[in-house]
Amino acid sequence: MQIVHGKSGWLEVICGPMFSGKSEELIKRIRRAQIARRRVQIFKHGIDARYDATNIVSHSQQSLPGVAVTNAQDILNLVDDRTELVAIDEGQFFGDEIVDVVSKLANLGKRVVVAGLDLDYRGLPFGPMPLLMCRAEYVTKQLAICMTCGDPANFTQRLTRDTAQVVVGAAETYEARCRCHFEPPAED
Ligand code: ADP
Ligand code: ZN
């Protein structure tokens, strides 16, 4: 991804299923910005206390300290004027108001990177992610590895019978599956 720097800000979205390396990619972009001595603020949605409520953590155990928020407006309130990169993990859990929040930040000249699941456990678009993807200047779609056949995987298979859209969990609750091996839950 080649980014041409100008005066204006922009939005980057990193999407894909669970285990596709979204958090790793987000952490990599943050670390590189920190190496460039950019001022960075890191947020994630507070619903995911998978490992630590205030860190962004990848399944490969990389982590960076962040602030857990439950409301997109909190991000606007917490971002410092001098911040150059605003990184947001678990973007799918926010409401549609996240779209206005990140647009405002980009319009202020900031680089905004949002990582999130583009599809839920049913294989349907997740929360504000479709809107964020079409507003973004740069979209990176990642794939995981299908746990059944080893092919590239675009879907997140829920291994339990829960029917809530949000059920927080990792390897014991979800696995990545390709198009052939993804089994959407039966409609009730
Ligand atoms: P995401 O944020 O998309 O859930 P992470 O960045 O947290 O992904 O984790 C990616 C890491 O998960 C990979 O580098 C790999 O070590 C591990 N991993 C576990 N299962 C899989 C899988 N099925 N496909 C790819 N990576 C996997
Ligand atoms: Zn497969």
Side-chain angles (χ1 to χ4, degrees), residues 17-24 58-60 144-145 147 176:
M18 277 181 77
F19 308 103
S20 65
K22 300 182 300 295
S23 300
E24 279 177 354
S58 75
H59 292 106
S60 49
I145 298 296
M147 294 305 282

PDB file of all heavy atoms in Angstrom, residues 17-24 58-60 144-145 147 176, ligand 1:
ATOM      1  N   PRO A  17     -11.807 -12.017   8.270  1.00  0.00           N
ATOM      2  CA  PRO A  17     -12.366 -12.840   9.350  1.00  0.00           C
ATOM      3  C   PRO A  17     -11.449 -12.877  10.574  1.00  0.00           C
ATOM      4  O   PRO A  17     -10.345 -12.327  10.547  1.00  0.00           O
ATOM      5  CB  PRO A  17     -12.445 -14.226   8.701  1.00  0.00           C
ATOM      6  CG  PRO A  17     -11.294 -14.233   7.749  1.00  0.00           C
ATOM      7  CD  PRO A  17     -11.209 -12.830   7.209  1.00  0.00           C
ATOM      8  N   MET A  18     -11.914 -13.545  11.629  1.00  0.00           N
ATOM      9  CA  MET A  18     -11.040 -13.763  12.787  1.00  0.00           C
ATOM     10  C   MET A  18      -9.810 -14.562  12.355  1.00  0.00           C
ATOM     11  O   MET A  18      -9.895 -15.400  11.456  1.00  0.00           O
ATOM     12  CB  MET A  18     -11.785 -14.530  13.891  1.00  0.00           C
ATOM     13  CG  MET A  18     -12.638 -13.628  14.763  1.00  0.00           C
ATOM     14  SD  MET A  18     -13.486 -14.542  16.056  1.00  0.00           S
ATOM     15  CE  MET A  18     -12.143 -14.795  17.216  1.00  0.00           C
ATOM     16  N   PHE A  19      -8.702 -14.297  12.990  1.00  0.00           N
ATOM     17  CA  PHE A  19      -7.409 -14.967  12.767  1.00  0.00           C
ATOM     18  C   PHE A  19      -6.754 -14.576  11.441  1.00  0.00           C
ATOM     19  O   PHE A  19      -5.785 -15.212  11.026  1.00  0.00           O
ATOM     20  CB  PHE A  19      -7.548 -16.514  12.815  1.00  0.00           C
ATOM     21  CG  PHE A  19      -8.226 -17.015  14.044  1.00  0.00           C
ATOM     22  CD1 PHE A  19      -9.546 -17.425  14.016  1.00  0.00           C
ATOM     23  CD2 PHE A  19      -7.548 -17.065  15.255  1.00  0.00           C
ATOM     24  CE1 PHE A  19     -10.185 -17.879  15.152  1.00  0.00           C
ATOM     25  CE2 PHE A  19      -8.172 -17.528  16.406  1.00  0.00           C
ATOM     26  CZ  PHE A  19      -9.500 -17.939  16.351  1.00  0.00           C
ATOM     27  N   SER A  20      -7.254 -13.543  10.762  1.00  0.00           N
ATOM     28  CA  SER A  20      -6.672 -13.167   9.475  1.00  0.00           C
ATOM     29  C   SER A  20      -5.509 -12.188   9.626  1.00  0.00           C
ATOM     30  O   SER A  20      -4.932 -11.760   8.625  1.00  0.00           O
ATOM     31  CB  SER A  20      -7.747 -12.570   8.553  1.00  0.00           C
ATOM     32  OG  SER A  20      -8.241 -11.358   9.086  1.00  0.00           O
ATOM     33  N   GLY A  21      -5.192 -11.822  10.876  1.00  0.00           N
ATOM     34  CA  GLY A  21      -4.040 -10.943  11.087  1.00  0.00           C
ATOM     35  C   GLY A  21      -4.380  -9.463  11.072  1.00  0.00           C
ATOM     36  O   GLY A  21      -3.503  -8.625  10.854  1.00  0.00           O
ATOM     37  N   LYS A  22      -5.639  -9.125  11.357  1.00  0.00           N
ATOM     38  CA  LYS A  22      -6.014  -7.705  11.387  1.00  0.00           C
ATOM     39  C   LYS A  22      -5.302  -6.974  12.514  1.00  0.00           C
ATOM     40  O   LYS A  22      -4.760  -5.892  12.308  1.00  0.00           O
ATOM     41  CB  LYS A  22      -7.536  -7.550  11.567  1.00  0.00           C
ATOM     42  CG  LYS A  22      -8.349  -8.189  10.461  1.00  0.00           C
ATOM     43  CD  LYS A  22      -9.833  -7.964  10.652  1.00  0.00           C
ATOM     44  CE  LYS A  22     -10.375  -8.537  11.944  1.00  0.00           C
ATOM     45  NZ  LYS A  22     -10.285 -10.014  12.006  1.00  0.00           N
ATOM     46  N   SER A  23      -5.306  -7.574  13.702  1.00  0.00           N
ATOM     47  CA  SER A  23      -4.646  -6.905  14.835  1.00  0.00           C
ATOM     48  C   SER A  23      -3.139  -6.813  14.610  1.00  0.00           C
ATOM     49  O   SER A  23      -2.525  -5.788  14.896  1.00  0.00           O
ATOM     50  CB  SER A  23      -4.948  -7.632  16.148  1.00  0.00           C
ATOM     51  OG  SER A  23      -6.338  -7.641  16.382  1.00  0.00           O
ATOM     52  N   GLU A  24      -2.553  -7.874  14.057  1.00  0.00           N
ATOM     53  CA  GLU A  24      -1.113  -7.833  13.739  1.00  0.00           C
ATOM     54  C   GLU A  24      -0.803  -6.705  12.764  1.00  0.00           C
ATOM     55  O   GLU A  24       0.186  -5.987  12.927  1.00  0.00           O
ATOM     56  CB  GLU A  24      -0.682  -9.148  13.068  1.00  0.00           C
ATOM     57  CG  GLU A  24      -0.413 -10.275  14.011  1.00  0.00           C
ATOM     58  CD  GLU A  24      -0.069 -11.572  13.258  1.00  0.00           C
ATOM     59  OE1 GLU A  24      -0.140 -11.631  12.017  1.00  0.00           O
ATOM     60  OE2 GLU A  24       0.275 -12.523  13.952  1.00  0.00           O
ATOM     61  N   SER A  58      -3.018  -9.375  19.588  1.00  0.00           N
ATOM     62  CA  SER A  58      -3.264 -10.274  18.459  1.00  0.00           C
ATOM     63  C   SER A  58      -3.271 -11.719  18.960  1.00  0.00           C
ATOM     64  O   SER A  58      -2.789 -12.009  20.057  1.00  0.00           O
ATOM     65  CB  SER A  58      -2.177 -10.103  17.398  1.00  0.00           C
ATOM     66  OG  SER A  58      -0.987 -10.727  17.843  1.00  0.00           O
ATOM     67  N   HIS A  59      -3.788 -12.629  18.124  1.00  0.00           N
ATOM     68  CA  HIS A  59      -3.766 -14.047  18.506  1.00  0.00           C
ATOM     69  C   HIS A  59      -2.343 -14.572  18.574  1.00  0.00           C
ATOM     70  O   HIS A  59      -2.105 -15.651  19.098  1.00  0.00           O
ATOM     71  CB  HIS A  59      -4.596 -14.869  17.508  1.00  0.00           C
ATOM     72  CG  HIS A  59      -6.061 -14.563  17.606  1.00  0.00           C
ATOM     73  ND1 HIS A  59      -6.730 -13.824  16.662  1.00  0.00           N
ATOM     74  CD2 HIS A  59      -6.958 -14.860  18.564  1.00  0.00           C
ATOM     75  CE1 HIS A  59      -7.999 -13.707  17.036  1.00  0.00           C
ATOM     76  NE2 HIS A  59      -8.157 -14.313  18.179  1.00  0.00           N
ATOM     77  N   SER A  60      -1.393 -13.824  18.020  1.00  0.00           N
ATOM     78  CA  SER A  60       0.010 -14.238  18.120  1.00  0.00           C
ATOM     79  C   SER A  60       0.709 -13.510  19.273  1.00  0.00           C
ATOM     80  O   SER A  60       1.935 -13.433  19.311  1.00  0.00           O
ATOM     81  CB  SER A  60       0.713 -13.962  16.789  1.00  0.00           C
ATOM     82  OG  SER A  60       0.455 -12.645  16.351  1.00  0.00           O
ATOM     83  N   ALA A 144      -7.754 -15.512   6.416  1.00  0.00           N
ATOM     84  CA  ALA A 144      -7.099 -16.437   7.347  1.00  0.00           C
ATOM     85  C   ALA A 144      -6.892 -17.771   6.613  1.00  0.00           C
ATOM     86  O   ALA A 144      -6.973 -17.823   5.382  1.00  0.00           O
ATOM     87  CB  ALA A 144      -7.976 -16.612   8.588  1.00  0.00           C
ATOM     88  N   ILE A 145      -6.610 -18.808   7.364  1.00  0.00           N
ATOM     89  CA  ILE A 145      -6.435 -20.149   6.800  1.00  0.00           C
ATOM     90  C   ILE A 145      -7.599 -21.021   7.270  1.00  0.00           C
ATOM     91  O   ILE A 145      -7.890 -21.069   8.471  1.00  0.00           O
ATOM     92  CB  ILE A 145      -5.099 -20.769   7.289  1.00  0.00           C
ATOM     93  CG1 ILE A 145      -3.898 -19.930   6.821  1.00  0.00           C
ATOM     94  CG2 ILE A 145      -4.968 -22.227   6.839  1.00  0.00           C
ATOM     95  CD1 ILE A 145      -3.714 -19.867   5.329  1.00  0.00           C
ATOM     96  N   MET A 147      -9.570 -23.885   8.700  1.00  0.00           N
ATOM     97  CA  MET A 147      -9.151 -24.935   9.629  1.00  0.00           C
ATOM     98  C   MET A 147      -9.585 -26.321   9.161  1.00  0.00           C
ATOM     99  O   MET A 147      -9.170 -27.328   9.724  1.00  0.00           O
ATOM    100  CB  MET A 147      -9.727 -24.652  11.026  1.00  0.00           C
ATOM    101  CG  MET A 147      -9.154 -23.398  11.656  1.00  0.00           C
ATOM    102  SD  MET A 147      -7.344 -23.412  11.741  1.00  0.00           S
ATOM    103  CE  MET A 147      -7.109 -24.479  13.153  1.00  0.00           C
ATOM    104  N   ALA A 176     -11.598 -20.081  11.533  1.00  0.00           N
ATOM    105  CA  ALA A 176     -11.669 -19.539  10.180  1.00  0.00           C
ATOM    106  C   ALA A 176     -12.036 -20.662   9.211  1.00  0.00           C
ATOM    107  O   ALA A 176     -11.580 -21.792   9.358  1.00  0.00           O
ATOM    108  CB  ALA A 176     -10.323 -18.921   9.807  1.00  0.00           C
TER     109      ALA A 176
HETATM  110  P1  ADP B   1      -7.351 -11.037  13.815  1.00  0.00           P
HETATM  111  O1  ADP B   1      -7.130  -9.685  14.473  1.00  0.00           O
HETATM  112  O2  ADP B   1      -7.723 -10.918  12.358  1.00  0.00           O
HETATM  113  O3  ADP B   1      -8.295 -11.940  14.572  1.00  0.00           O
HETATM  114  P2  ADP B   1      -4.697 -11.613  14.754  1.00  0.00           P
HETATM  115  O4  ADP B   1      -3.799 -10.543  14.219  1.00  0.00           O
HETATM  116  O5  ADP B   1      -5.188 -11.470  16.182  1.00  0.00           O
HETATM  117  O6  ADP B   1      -5.948 -11.789  13.766  1.00  0.00           O
HETATM  118  O7  ADP B   1      -4.011 -13.046  14.673  1.00  0.00           O
HETATM  119  C1  ADP B   1      -3.357 -13.546  13.520  1.00  0.00           C
HETATM  120  C2  ADP B   1      -2.508 -14.734  13.943  1.00  0.00           C
HETATM  121  O8  ADP B   1      -3.361 -15.797  14.371  1.00  0.00           O
HETATM  122  C3  ADP B   1      -1.687 -15.356  12.846  1.00  0.00           C
HETATM  123  O9  ADP B   1      -0.461 -14.697  12.628  1.00  0.00           O
HETATM  124  C4  ADP B   1      -1.452 -16.769  13.389  1.00  0.00           C
HETATM  125  O10 ADP B   1      -0.363 -16.762  14.287  1.00  0.00           O
HETATM  126  C5  ADP B   1      -2.678 -17.037  14.235  1.00  0.00           C
HETATM  127  N1  ADP B   1      -3.659 -17.973  13.681  1.00  0.00           N
HETATM  128  C6  ADP B   1      -4.384 -18.858  14.396  1.00  0.00           C
HETATM  129  N2  ADP B   1      -5.260 -19.515  13.636  1.00  0.00           N
HETATM  130  C7  ADP B   1      -5.127 -19.051  12.379  1.00  0.00           C
HETATM  131  C8  ADP B   1      -5.786 -19.334  11.113  1.00  0.00           C
HETATM  132  N3  ADP B   1      -6.772 -20.230  11.023  1.00  0.00           N
HETATM  133  N4  ADP B   1      -5.383 -18.638  10.034  1.00  0.00           N
HETATM  134  C9  ADP B   1      -4.379 -17.747  10.114  1.00  0.00           C
HETATM  135  N5  ADP B   1      -3.734 -17.421  11.274  1.00  0.00           N
HETATM  136  C10 ADP B   1      -4.092 -18.064  12.397  1.00  0.00           C
END
